[in-house]
C-alpha cells in the first residue's frame, strides 16, 4: 500500500503574487492588459513565419526583422502568400538541409535572382487564376544592392506585383564580412582593412542608396525601417501589402558578429542609427516622399560608432577623426533633407 506523500515546507509556502507588467513601456506585447490595448505581438493567434530552431547568431537583427515582416504579411493576406529568398545568411540559418524553419511556402533562389524568381512566381499564380496569393522576395544587402541589382531594377521597371524586402547588415556576413555596396564609409570589413592611413576603412563616395534608387523607378511604395521600431516595420509591411505592383522595404538589421558589437546591442544600435540621422525612416509613393519619422532625441554619430569594433580604428588617428566628421556631415544632411528634427531639437555641440 502506497504511503501518502509528505508535504515539505516549500510546498506549504504562501503563493507568490502575480507581478503585472507596466503598461506603456517599449515591451512588444502584454497579455495581461485588456485585449483592445494589446500589441499584435502578444496575440496567441499571431502568424508564425519562422519557427524556433533556426541557427541565427545570438542577437541577429535579420532573424528578428524577417520574423516580424513576414508575420505581418501572413496576417494581412490570411496566409495566402509565398516567398522567394536569395542566398545569404537568412537562407543559410533557416534551411540547413534537410530542415527548414519556414512555416509558409518558401523558395530558395540564387544569390542574384530572387526578384526574377519572385516575378515568375507571381506570373504563375496569375496564370492559375490565384490572384489573391501575394508574393514576397527577400535578401540581404549583398544579394540586393550588388548581385541582384539588375534583376531588382527589372522587377521595378515592369512594376511586377511583388514586395521586395532587403535586410541590410551592411556587408556580406555569410561569406566572411566582405564589403558590399551598402557598407558605410570608414567601416572595417575583410576587404576594407584600415591599412591605408589616408583612407582608413571603407572609402567614402562609394556604394548605393537603394531606397532612393527604388524611388527613381516611380514604383507604388518604398519605405525604410529599423528593427528598433518593430511596430513601425509592421505598419509599413501592412501598408505595402495594400498596394498592387512593385514595392520595396529596406530594413536596418545590425549584425553582432560582423560589426564586432555585443549580441545584446542589436536594438540599441538599430535605434542609435536612426537617432543620429544616419538612417532616416521614411515612406514614399510613386517617387515622392510622403512621410518621415522625426528624431526623438538627436545624438552625435560617435555614440553609434563606439560600440562597434568595425569603427574602432577611426578613434586612433587624425585621418579617422576626419572620417567621423564625414559621417556626421552625412547625418546632418539627412536630417535637413528629410526634416527629421521638425525644429524641436537643437543641434548638439
Amino acid at each position: 500500500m502506497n504511503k501518502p506523500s509528505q508535504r515539505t515546507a516549500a510546498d506549504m509556502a504562501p503563493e507568490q503574487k502575480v507581478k503585472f507588467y507596466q503598461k506603456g513601456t517599449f515591451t512588444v506585447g502584454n497579455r495581461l492588459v485588456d485585449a483592445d490595448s494589446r500589441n499584435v505581438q502578444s496575440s496567441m493567434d499571431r502568424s508564425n513565419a519562422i519557427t524556433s530552431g533556426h541557427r541565427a547568431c545570438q542577437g541577429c537583427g535579420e532573424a528578428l526583422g524577417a520574423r516580424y515582416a513576414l508575420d505581418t504579411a501572413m496576417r494581412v493576406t490570411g496566409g495566402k502568400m509565398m516567398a522567394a529568398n536569395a542566398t545569404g545568411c537568412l537562407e543559410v540559418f533557416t534551411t540547413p538541409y534537410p530542415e527548414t524553419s519556414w512555416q509558409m511556402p518558401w523558395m530558395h533562389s540564387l544569390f542574384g535572382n530572387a526578384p526574377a524568381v519572385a516575378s515568375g512566381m507571381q506570373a504563375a499564380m496569375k496564370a492559375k487564376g490565384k490572384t489573391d496569393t501575394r508574393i514576397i522576395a527577400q535578401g540581404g544587402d549583398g544579394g540586393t544592392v550588388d548581385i541582384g541589382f539588375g534583376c531588382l531594377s527589372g522587377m521595378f521597371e515592369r512594376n511586377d506585383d511583388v514586395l521586395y524586402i532587403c535586410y541590410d547588415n551592411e556587408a556580406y556576413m555569410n561569406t566572411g564580412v566582405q564589403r558590399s555596396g551598402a557598407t558605410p564609409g570608414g567601416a572595417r570589413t575583410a576587404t576594407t582593412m584600415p591599412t591605408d592611413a589616408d583612407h582608413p576603412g571603407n572609402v567614402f563616395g562609394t556604394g548605393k542608396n537603394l531606397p532612393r534608387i527604388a524611388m527613381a523607378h516611380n514604383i507604388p511604395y518604398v519605405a525604410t525601417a529599423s528593427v528598433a521600431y518593430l511596430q513601425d516595420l509592421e505598419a509599413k509591411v501592412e501598408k505595402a501589402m495594400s498596394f498592387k505592383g512593385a514595392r520595396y522595404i529596406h530594413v536596418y538589421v545590425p549584425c553582432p558578429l560582423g560589426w564586432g558589437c555585443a549580441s545584446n546591442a542589436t536594438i540599441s544600435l538599430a535605434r542609435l542609427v536612426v537617432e543620429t540621422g544616419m538612417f532616416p525612416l521614411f515612406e514614399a509613393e510613386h517617387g515622392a516622399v510622403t512621410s518621415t519619422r522625426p528624431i526623438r532625441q538627436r545624438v552625435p554619430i560617435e555614440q553609434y560608432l563606439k560600440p562597434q569594433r568595425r569603427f574602432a580604428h577611426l578613434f586612433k588617428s587624425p585621418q579617422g577623426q576626419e572620417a567621423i566628421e564625414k559621417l556626421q556631415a552625412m547625418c546632418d544632411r539627412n536630417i535637413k533633407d528629410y526634416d527629421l528634427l521638425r525644429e524641436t531639437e537643437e543641434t548638439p555641440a
Side-chain angles (χ1 to χ4, degrees):
M1 183 174 179
N2 294 331
K3 294 182 180 180
S5 60
Q6 299 294 319
R7 297 186 66 188
T8 66
D11 296 328
M12 301 174 65
E15 295 182 358
Q16 293 182 344
K17 291 183 178 181
V18 176
K19 294 183 179 180
F20 289 88
Y21 292 100
Q22 179 184 358
K23 180 60 181 168
T25 66
F26 292 106
T27 51
V28 295
N30 190 333
R31 299 190 181 110
L32 300 179
V33 300
D34 183 75
D36 294 335
S37 302
R38 296 174 187 168
N39 294 334
V40 65
Q41 294 93 341
S42 65
S43 172
M44 293 295 290
D45 299 323
R46 68 166 290 159
S47 304
N48 186 15
I50 307 177
T51 192
S52 59
H54 62 71
R55 303 181 185 185
C57 299
Q58 220 174 14
C60 175
E62 189 171 29
L64 180 64
R67 168 74 191 279
Y68 277 78
L70 294 194
D71 277 5
T72 302
M74 289 182 69
R75 173 171 54 83
V76 299
T77 62
K80 295 182 178 180
M81 58 168 284
M82 304 167 65
N85 203 131
T87 297
C89 281
L90 184 59
E91 167 263 323
V92 169
F93 70 67
T94 58
T95 57
Y97 182 82
E99 304 166 0
T100 180
S101 294
W102 296 99
Q103 305 297 292
M104 51 175 283
W106 179 93
M107 180 179 293
H108 172 209
S109 74
L110 299 177
F111 215 144
N113 69 346
V117 170
S119 295
M121 293 164 66
Q122 190 270 330
M125 291 299 101
K126 182 178 180 181
K128 288 176 171 287
K130 298 182 179 180
T131 55
D132 57 344
T133 299
R134 309 301 298 279
I135 307 299
I136 290 179
Q138 54 185 0
D141 52 288
T144 304
V145 177
D146 297 337
I147 302 175
F149 180 73
C151 289
L152 183 62
S153 179
M155 189 198 93
F156 289 161
E157 185 274 329
R158 294 186 301 270
N159 199 31
D160 293 329
D161 188 22
V162 175
L163 168 61
Y164 191 99
I165 304 176
C166 172
Y167 304 105
D168 182 8
N169 53 27
E170 300 186 328
Y172 288 86
M173 300 306 180
N174 178 54
T175 55
V177 195
Q178 295 89 0
R179 174 199 176 278
S180 79
T183 301
R188 177 176 183 170
T189 70
T191 51
T192 55
M193 303 295 282
T195 55
D196 186 341
D198 294 327
H199 302 285
N202 188 32
V203 297
F204 286 82
T206 60
K208 311 182 187 98
N209 188 329
L210 233 297
R212 302 298 298 191
I213 294 173
M215 289 173 58
H217 288 77
N218 203 38
I219 59 177
Y221 184 76
V222 175
T224 59
S226 168
V227 291
Y229 306 93
L230 292 173
Q231 289 182 310
D232 178 70
L233 170 60
E234 290 179 317
K236 287 171 177 173
V237 172
E238 183 169 356
K239 187 172 182 179
M241 298 306 290
S242 70
F243 287 87
K244 291 287 187 178
R247 291 142 286 144
Y248 180 76
I249 298 180
H250 196 100
V251 188
Y252 192 83
V253 292
C255 173
L257 180 65
W259 293 9
C261 61
S263 60
N264 62 357
T266 298
I267 299 302
S268 63
L269 289 174
R271 183 174 294 114
L272 282 170
V273 77
V274 174
E275 297 295 286
T276 60
M278 178 60 70
F279 188 80
L281 301 185
F282 68 89
E283 294 178 284
E285 297 178 23
H286 301 288
V289 174
T290 56
S291 68
T292 62
R293 183 185 181 95
I295 292 175
R296 291 188 305 166
Q297 183 177 2
R298 187 181 183 186
V299 297
I301 191 62
E302 286 88 349
Q303 289 191 26
Y304 167 73
L305 301 177
K306 285 181 178 179
Q308 307 175 59
R309 287 198 301 272
R310 63 174 179 160
F311 292 113
H313 58 281
L314 299 183
F315 296 90
K316 300 177 180 179
S317 68
Q319 293 80 9
Q321 184 58 45
E322 291 178 6
I324 293 174
E325 292 172 359
K326 290 181 180 179
L327 292 170
Q328 183 63 62
M330 294 168 60
C331 296
D332 297 342
R333 185 166 58 252
N334 286 336
I335 289 171
K336 179 180 178 181
D337 291 346
Y338 293 93
D339 192 23
L340 300 180
L341 289 182
R342 303 287 201 275
E343 299 183 354
T344 60
E345 296 285 343
E346 295 182 359
T347 302

